[in-house]
Amino acid sequence: MPLLTVTTNMEIYPDHQEQILIKLSAFVAQLLGKPESYVMVQLQSGQPMLMGGTNEPCAHLRLKSLGLPEDSTEGLSTALCDAITGQLRIPANRIYIEFANPARHMWGWDKGTFG
């Protein structure tokens, strides 16, 4: 159910990518209180990106999850920024985050939906 997509202009080497994905997967499961068996994490590195007119390290995150607590997005933002800053050393002011809480029937898995 939870999907975290991290897109960054930083080039991350493949051996480091797997370590980052493993840490972020466990982090998202813990953060949202969901089983890690349902968590998906995607890392897109080396993407052409500018933020504030510069190509200094930056990231765009998308966190989508059924039942995402919309009244908790500020805390989620803090936690995600801290995680990305810790893993990729991207400053929090160079990170944008999109949150999405789709309707259960709009999220497909295993030949069906969660609705």
Side-chain angles (χ1 to χ4, degrees):
M1 293 173 280
L3 168 62
L4 176 65
T5 303
V6 178
T7 306
T8 180
N9 59 349
M10 292 182 58
E11 192 64 49
I12 303 169
Y13 297 106
D15 59 330
H16 195 195
Q17 286 180 11
E18 186 172 354
Q19 295 170 7
I20 292 168
L21 290 168
I22 289 168
K23 288 179 182 177
L24 288 176
S25 178
F27 175 75
V28 167
Q30 181 270 327
L31 183 66
L32 297 178
K34 305 272 185 164
E36 191 173 0
S37 59
Y38 287 106
V39 174
M40 181 181 284
V41 180
Q42 181 180 30
L43 179 60
Q44 302 169 329
S45 69
Q47 299 299 303
M49 296 172 71
L50 290 178
M51 183 173 187
T54 76
N55 66 353
E56 293 174 31
C58 63
H60 174 246
L61 281 60
R62 289 187 193 103
L63 180 62
K64 183 185 288 191
S65 180
L66 298 176
L68 185 76
E70 295 182 17
D71 60 344
S72 300
T73 55
E74 189 164 340
L76 293 171
S77 179
T78 297
L80 288 166
C81 283
D82 288 348
I84 296 302
T85 298
Q87 291 293 313
L88 302 178
R89 295 189 174 89
I90 297 173
N93 68 346
R94 305 267 312 151
I95 301 170
Y96 276 155
I97 306 170
E98 286 181 65
F99 297 100
N101 180 9
R104 295 184 71 78
H105 71 280
M106 296 298 291
W107 195 260
W109 174 70
D110 196 20
K111 299 182 184 180
T113 66
F114 288 96

